[in-house]
Structures are given as C-alpha cells and as structure tokens.
Amino acid sequence: MTQQANSTFGLSSPHWHCSQGQATGTALPPNVLNKGSEVSPSLSPVKMGGAVSAGEDNDELIDNLKEAHYIHSDLVERAFRAIDRADYYLEEYRDSAYKDLAWRHGNIHLSAPCIYSEVMEALDLHPGLSFLNLGSGTGYLSTMVGLILGPFGVNHGVELYADVIEYAYQKLDYFIKTSESFDKFEFCEPSFVAGNCLEIPPESRQYDRVYCGAGVQRDHEEYMKNLLKVGGILVLPLEEKLTKIRRTGQSSWETKKIIAVSFAPLALPQHNTNGEPKTVPLPTFEVRTLQELARIAIRHTLRVTTDNGGGQPRGQGSFGGGRGLGVSGLHKFGPRFKRRRVHHRRHCTSVVLAHKRVVSNADPTPAPLDNNNNNHGGQEDGQRREEEEEAEKETGEQLPAEPPINILRERILVLPLPEPLKMYLLYCREK
C-alpha cells in the first residue's frame, strides 16, 4: 500500500506497522502474489483482497461479498447484516467504511471486510460455543460472533492496548443501547482484557474457537494450538497465509490454507523488572444469576411466540442451551428485502409466561408475524401490496419504507409489570 493510500485511510506511516491486537489484515492483490509469494495450490485464485466493489451502505457491501463468494453461509450473512461496519469507524472516516480495505487510526484498527468474511466462515460457529479473540481490537468481530453464539456461549477477547479496549466497550454499549439487531437476536456479550496474547498462562482454560488477528510465526504455532479444546478450530495468519487448524485429538491436527494475507507480526512478550515473564489472566467464566437467566428466558419466550391465539411457539420455541442467531425466531437477515410501504394493524399480543397467558389489545383477527417483523393481514394487506407494486411500476419510483416495528419491545411494554422490571427486560434501552 502506498504512503498516499495510508494517509487517506488514517494509517500513521507508509508501512503497515502494528502490534498484536492491531494487525492490519488484507488479502494480497494478484500483482503481489506473483512476486515471490509462495501460494499453496489449494488457495482459491478468485479470493483476492480488493476485488470486492465498494458499497453505498452495509447491505450493499454484504451483497458484494456474497457475489464474490467470500460469504456463503446464512448465519455469517445474517451476522454481517446485523452489524453496521461504519459504526466502528471514527466519524471522520465513515465514508471509507464500506470499501473492501483495512483501516487504522492510531491504535484503532479494522481488517478488510473480505478478511473478516473468510475468518467468520472458517470458524464454523454454532450457538453455545466458547470463543477467544486474540487482538480483539474494536470488538466488531467479537460482536458479530456473539450474535451466533447466543446467550449461553462464551465470548472473550485479549487486546494489547487499553485505549482500544475502552473504545471497544464504547462501541459495544452503543450497539446494545441503540441497534435494532440487539432485540432481533440472542446475544453473547463479549468481555475484553488488556495484555499481550503471548502471555496467557499455560494452565488457562481452552476454547472451542480461537482467532488471532496478527501474524504468527512458526515459533508460536504450538502455543496457539494449545489454546484449543479437542475438536476446536483455530484461525490465524500463519506465515503470510490465513490458516484454519482443527484439533482432532490431544496431539493431532488438520491444517488448511485459506488465502494469502499480509498481517503485521505479534508483539513479543515483555518481562517484569525482576526478569519474570508477565501473565495475562483471561476473562473469568461467570455463572449467570437467576435474575439474568429469567430475563433471557422471558425475552426468548416473547421472541418466538406467534400471534395465532394458541400460544404455540414458532420455530425453536423451547428454552434451553445452544440458542443463538441460528434459531432466533423474530427476524431473519437474508438478501435485502424490497422496500415497500407496510400497513400495520392493531392486533392481539398473546404470550405465555410461566404457563399464564398475558393478552393485551385484544382483537378477534390477529395478524401473524413474518420473518421481517412485519404484520401481514391476509388478503387485505396482499391487495395493498399488489396496488403498491403496480404504482411503483407506473411511476418508476419505490415507495419509501416505513421503519419496522420492534415486536419484542412492544410485547415487553404491554406486560403487566412494574416499569423498572420492563426496563430491565429491555436492557434499559429507551428507544
């Protein structure tokens, strides 16, 4: 990358110099790969960084990543659409958020979208898993992972710089308090600690999934592998290639090279004044309180209950472990949906809590929910949609989309509970 380009995207020098936790990840372009880079024959020649066109918004960026085959699973697509990449940029650099380029300003860093796509796909995430992010940075990746892990997963991160951890927690708080996606999915909130990821005590707990966001040399490969449980997956830039390593036994591994990349190397450990190596304690594995479990259970019940008057849950309605974005019943992020005017009607809100039904706004003709949080009232609404589509064809203009109703929030607000309890169920989200 040229010095001019670095200046454009907030890089502090013409060299991509950054420490563990701030590695600038990018896929190497074809002209670099052909000049001395040793590329495994298994690496796909199609997946070169920078080949994805810039988008006008987050959805268009995800569309482009799908078309270029960086994103190919439904879970990963929905996680990417749920988190606006621009929210993790400084305000003065938001115009660059939807380009397939890495961005860095001081210690704050984001890898290129194509890199995060490859990482998310390679991790093969499922609800209930434990995840360790080495070099967690802004928390963008950890937040997307948390949407898939669900409330009973583990989501930990180690970051070298304390100011970046503060920035990550600010972004996490902003996501929880303002993002519609927080109410649409069941979330595993990430926890971060400051320190060098090469100083984790060897007796620390192992994880199902581990990602390292800085370049790893062979000297530290075994160290990284030992952070994994048997059956776990490690994704890391190993000697200029994004690599997926699966632990198949206590001392057996399967390795797959994914794509050639360029990451700055890990920062080496520091020693204390007495000569002893420093240690970085990982975040604790906290057991949820009964109050927290009750909130999770109530929100889940409200999220998956239909309005068919029978109180029957839609989809995966039972309360139990292993729930996350994959079984979330309220909203499904797929390809961008056609913008249309949505007509909402007063309908029955019926939920089952502790085997007791709570009904409000009773209406003899309840309208079922679809996967887009929209109410469709049968033939009447279907006729309206047909009329609107005809109008769009005649005028050549799309009708402006009305904001979707947050069904979970509406259901919580009509519960016969004191206001403080309602706010607790809403995570104190005012709007």
Side-chain angles (χ1 to χ4, degrees):
M1 199 171 190
T2 65
Q3 183 171 359
Q4 181 180 2
N6 287 333
S7 175
T8 301
F9 296 104
L11 299 176
S12 58
S13 73
H15 303 289
W16 287 22
H17 174 72
C18 38
S19 301
Q20 171 265 325
Q22 300 304 316
T24 305
T26 181
L28 296 177
N31 62 325
V32 175
L33 290 174
N34 293 332
K35 294 182 179 179
S37 295
E38 190 177 76
V39 182
S40 168
S42 64
L43 298 183
S44 170
V46 176
K47 295 183 177 180
M48 304 298 179
V52 176
S53 300
E56 294 183 1
D57 55 25
N58 194 68
D59 271 326
E60 189 168 315
L61 173 63
I62 308 311
D63 290 342
N64 295 339
L65 289 168
K66 283 195 65 180
E67 291 173 5
H69 305 291
Y70 285 101
I71 295 177
H72 49 79
S73 68
D74 183 60
L75 279 180
V76 171
E77 178 189 352
R78 289 156 64 189
F80 268 90
R81 292 193 189 278
I83 309 293
D84 194 328
R85 179 177 169 89
D87 289 342
Y88 290 80
Y89 274 64
L90 294 173
E91 188 65 32
E92 59 267 35
Y93 297 107
R94 285 179 66 94
D95 290 345
S96 301
Y98 306 123
K99 299 177 181 178
D100 187 28
L101 295 170
W103 172 75
R104 183 186 176 211
H105 182 81
N107 292 330
I108 302 171
H109 150 266
L110 282 167
S111 291
C114 67
I115 294 296
Y116 285 133
S117 303
E118 293 281 12
V119 169
M120 289 284 287
E121 292 287 359
L123 285 171
D124 190 21
L125 296 163
H126 302 288
L129 294 178
S130 57
F131 171 67
L132 177 62
N133 189 354
L134 303 176
S136 50
T138 65
Y140 172 65
L141 178 67
S142 294
T143 301
M144 287 195 293
V145 169
L147 294 177
I148 299 178
L149 297 183
F152 301 110
V154 174
N155 195 354
H156 290 169
V158 179
E159 168 56 43
L160 188 62
Y161 298 106
D163 62 320
V164 177
I165 289 183
E166 182 180 355
Y167 184 86
Y169 275 124
Q170 289 174 358
K171 295 302 180 183
L172 176 62
D173 184 66
Y174 180 82
F175 168 75
I176 293 174
K177 294 294 176 60
T178 68
S179 175
E180 296 250 343
S181 297
F182 182 78
D183 282 338
K184 293 170 183 173
F185 305 119
E186 298 182 296
F187 184 53
C188 180
E189 187 172 331
S191 298
F192 308 111
V193 293
N196 190 306
C197 71
L198 293 176
E199 297 173 336
I200 298 173
E203 66 275 9
S204 297
R205 183 173 174 175
Q206 296 172 318
Y207 291 78
D208 297 304
R209 300 291 186 268
V210 178
Y211 170 65
C212 180
V216 179
Q217 299 303 311
R218 291 291 178 186
D219 294 346
H220 297 120
E221 181 181 359
E222 289 301 317
Y223 172 88
M224 294 291 174
K225 287 180 176 179
N226 288 330
L227 297 171
L228 271 186
K229 295 179 181 179
V230 173
I233 294 174
L234 166 66
V235 179
L236 75 170
L238 184 61
E239 296 187 329
E240 300 298 310
K241 297 176 184 66
L242 190 64
T243 305
K244 176 179 179 178
I245 300 175
R246 184 186 296 272
R247 187 169 194 171
T248 56
Q250 288 296 336
S251 57
S252 58
W253 316 83
E254 291 179 355
T255 302
K256 177 184 178 182
K257 305 295 183 182
I258 302 173
I259 186 173
V261 293
S262 176
F263 277 73
L266 286 167
L268 296 178
Q270 301 289 327
H271 289 271
N272 290 319
T273 54
N274 59 7
E276 295 294 325
K278 295 181 179 179
T279 58
V280 177
L282 292 171
T284 58
F285 285 75
E286 296 180 355
V287 177
R288 291 187 181 275
T289 65
L290 183 60
Q291 180 173 306
E292 291 174 326
L293 292 173
R295 176 166 61 179
I296 292 170
I298 292 171
R299 285 172 63 92
H300 176 76
T301 301
L302 295 172
R303 182 179 285 110
V304 302
T305 304
T306 61
D307 285 332
N308 60 8
Q312 297 298 320
R314 64 192 294 263
Q316 301 283 340
S318 61
F319 179 72
R323 298 199 325 273
L325 185 151
V327 295
S328 178
L330 186 62
H331 186 93
K332 178 178 179 180
F333 276 95
R336 288 190 298 169
F337 299 97
K338 183 177 180 180
R339 298 176 65 196
R340 66 164 67 97
R341 188 183 304 276
V342 179
H343 297 269
H344 300 288
R345 295 190 298 126
R346 191 165 177 244
H347 60 279
C348 173
T349 301
S350 172
V351 299
V352 179
L353 295 176
H355 305 292
K356 178 181 178 181
R357 182 175 302 167
V358 179
V359 181
S360 66
N361 295 338
D363 190 307
T365 57
L369 298 176
D370 70 1
N371 281 336
N372 299 313
N373 290 350
N374 299 327
N375 297 325
H376 294 284
Q379 295 181 353
E380 182 181 349
D381 284 346
Q383 183 177 356
R384 286 198 188 101
R385 291 198 303 274
E386 291 177 1
E387 294 173 353
E388 290 162 1
E389 289 172 359
E390 289 296 326
E392 287 179 5
K393 292 178 181 179
E394 293 176 1
T395 62
E397 297 180 356
Q398 287 186 331
L399 293 172
E402 294 182 359
I405 292 178
N406 187 328
I407 301 299
L408 177 60
R409 181 179 181 84
E410 294 298 315
R411 289 175 172 175
I412 290 175
L413 290 176
V414 299
L415 293 175
L417 297 173
E419 288 302 316
L421 282 182
K422 293 181 183 180
M423 291 306 296
Y424 178 74
L425 290 174
L426 291 169
Y427 285 83
C428 299
R429 290 160 52 91
E430 295 182 358
K431 59 181 179 179

